Amino acid sequence: MKRLTPFFFTLAFFTLFQSTIVVSDETQLIGVFGASGRTGTHIIEELKKRDVGIRAFSRSADQKDSLDALDWVYADVTDEESLSIALRDVDVIISAIGPVGGDNSEIVDYLGTINIVSAAKKNDVQQIIYMSSIGAGGAENISTVILNLFANKTMKWKALAEDEIRNSGISFTIVRPGGLVGETATQGIQFSQGDNVLGWIPRGDVAAVLVESIYKDGAKNKTFEVINDESLAVNAWRDEFDSLELNEYGKIATGELPIRYWLIPSMILLGVIYLIRRRRTRN
Ligand SMILES: NC(=O)c1ccc[n+]([C@@H]2O[C@H](COP(=O)([O-])OP(=O)(O)OC[C@H]3O[C@@H](n4cnc5c(N)ncnc54)[C@H](OP(=O)(O)O)[C@@H]3O)[C@@H](O)[C@H]2O)c1
């Protein structure tokens, strides 16, 4: 019996070790682009409440390791090779990237997303959850028009990024928030489709919707807008994913000035010029 004791210990160790491996195999690994950003920080906090592995991506991952216990990995969305390595074993991507510094939306949102999708395909990623923006579905409200005018047609590039994801063949969820302000979880969240609403939502609420989309089948292959709505119960949105339609995303934003923004002022101007000239010829 004494001789058998080491054998039993070894057997017990391997049984325990194997069961640990099985558990970690089943735990999803979530890769977060934009993890260092203002929404990304909330996404990480949301994920920490769930039973998942987290890989946080940043271009300055080396400076972040000492800050917290997170697995920070270098990834630059403009460099596809860095993504192919960074995404190894990742099951779900959440992207909350956005241009910072000198980069623009075309480089970060559009070309960056092309690279993410390409690397995701190579790594058999199961779902891409993408933070876009109200306006990417062709909305013609004044704030979208101003953004397009002064931020390099940003909605065009977000719209094309969305389309790249929708056509990737990978299961996706595209969340389009309104203006990012406010305090987390103080109001209800309204879901809508077709890019016809305008409103505000705190970054923490957007993060909650992005993370919940991992767990809701009704979030798969959907594109939708999110804004705060004080008439709704704070957590009611968690049951709203099933009511969203597939293939409903409005239209692909062009970033051009909508016709009504220049046609009516031009007609008024022409009318004024005509009246002035008529007056002058009469005199
Ligand atoms: N402001 C609004 O009202 C509003 C409304 C709707 C939607 N949005 C959109 O929401 C998104 C998130 O906004 P936010 O304010 O939370 O973002 P943010 O704080 O500006 O953070 C941007 C993140 O993008 C990452 N990033 C930038 N270039 C990158 C690159 N080349 N490779 C990898 N990562 C890169 C940065 O990571 P590192 O620097 O660590 O690499 C950073 O974590 C943006 O796309 C924004 O346009 C904004």
Side-chain angles (χ1 to χ4, degrees), residues 34-40 57-60 64 75-78 96-100 103 108-109 131-133 158 177-180 203:
S36 63
R38 287 163 291 178
T39 309
F57 300 125
S58 171
R59 289 165 299 173
S60 38
K64 295 200 160 59
D76 182 340
V77 296
T78 63
I97 52 166
V100 282
D103 283 341
V108 176
D109 291 320
M131 178 175 179
S132 179
S133 175
K158 284 196 193 298
L180 300 173
R203 286 179 167 88

Side-chain angles (χ1 to χ4, degrees), residues 16-270:
L16 201 71
F17 185 63
Q18 245 187 349
S19 68
T20 315
I21 283 181
V22 170
V23 170
S24 73
D25 269 358
E26 284 173 357
T27 304
Q28 285 189 301
L29 179 59
I30 318 297
V32 183
F33 287 101
S36 63
R38 287 163 291 178
T39 309
T41 311
H42 289 283
I43 295 170
I44 298 294
E45 289 312 309
E46 279 294 322
L47 286 171
K48 281 180 177 171
K49 297 177 200 163
R50 315 288 181 128
D51 181 23
V52 290
I54 305 169
R55 190 175 291 165
F57 300 125
S58 171
R59 289 165 299 173
S60 38
D62 52 332
Q63 293 156 34
K64 295 200 160 59
D65 270 340
S66 56
L67 295 181
D68 50 42
L70 269 184
D71 176 20
W72 284 98
V73 170
Y74 171 80
D76 182 340
V77 296
T78 63
D79 166 17
E80 199 201 323
E81 210 182 313
S82 75
L83 304 186
S84 296
I85 299 164
L87 285 177
R88 251 174 229 157
D89 300 325
V90 165
D91 299 296
V92 177
I93 289 172
I94 301 181
S95 173
I97 52 166
V100 282
D103 283 341
N104 62 28
S105 192
E106 179 179 3
I107 293 170
V108 176
D109 291 320
Y110 179 50
L111 298 175
T113 301
I114 290 178
N115 288 336
I116 290 176
V117 167
S118 169
K121 283 180 183 168
K122 287 180 195 152
N123 282 283
D124 290 328
V125 169
Q126 301 302 301
Q127 186 183 7
I128 300 178
I129 301 170
Y130 180 65
M131 178 175 179
S132 179
S133 175
I134 278 182
E140 295 187 353
N141 56 66
I142 188 70
S143 60
T144 301
V145 167
I146 290 171
L147 256 173
N148 279 326
L149 275 179
F150 295 102
N152 209 6
K153 295 187 178 175
T154 183
M155 292 309 158
K156 169 184 170 181
W157 303 115
K158 284 196 193 298
L160 292 175
E162 285 188 358
D163 221 38
E164 183 72 18
I165 293 170
R166 275 191 293 269
N167 294 325
S168 66
I170 300 172
S171 180
F172 67 85
T173 304
I174 294 171
V175 179
R176 294 173 174 161
L180 300 173
V181 288
E183 207 179 312
T184 305
T186 51
Q187 293 188 24
I189 300 175
Q190 180 194 318
F191 288 2
S192 60
Q193 291 180 289
D195 208 0
N196 296 313
V197 294
L198 205 52
W200 310 97
I201 184 163
R203 286 179 167 88
D205 284 9
V206 179
V209 175
L210 294 166
V211 170
E212 190 74 6
S213 299
I214 302 171
Y215 302 94
K216 292 280 165 46
D217 283 341
K220 307 275 159 62
N221 302 323
K222 309 261 175 87
T223 302
F224 56 101
E225 295 85 46
V226 288
I227 54 170
N228 262 177
D229 184 338
E230 60 184 353
S231 70
L232 300 173
V234 170
N235 275 311
W237 60 271
R238 293 183 194 273
D239 300 320
E240 289 301 314
F241 290 94
D242 286 340
S243 63
L244 295 166
E245 304 283 339
L246 297 163
N247 301 319
E248 174 59 85
Y249 53 86
K251 51 189 187 205
I252 309 289
T254 62
E256 302 295 341
L257 193 64
I259 198 161
R260 67 191 160 101
Y261 282 84
W262 57 264
L263 189 64
I264 297 168
S266 309
M267 285 171 71
I268 293 171
L269 187 67
L270 281 174

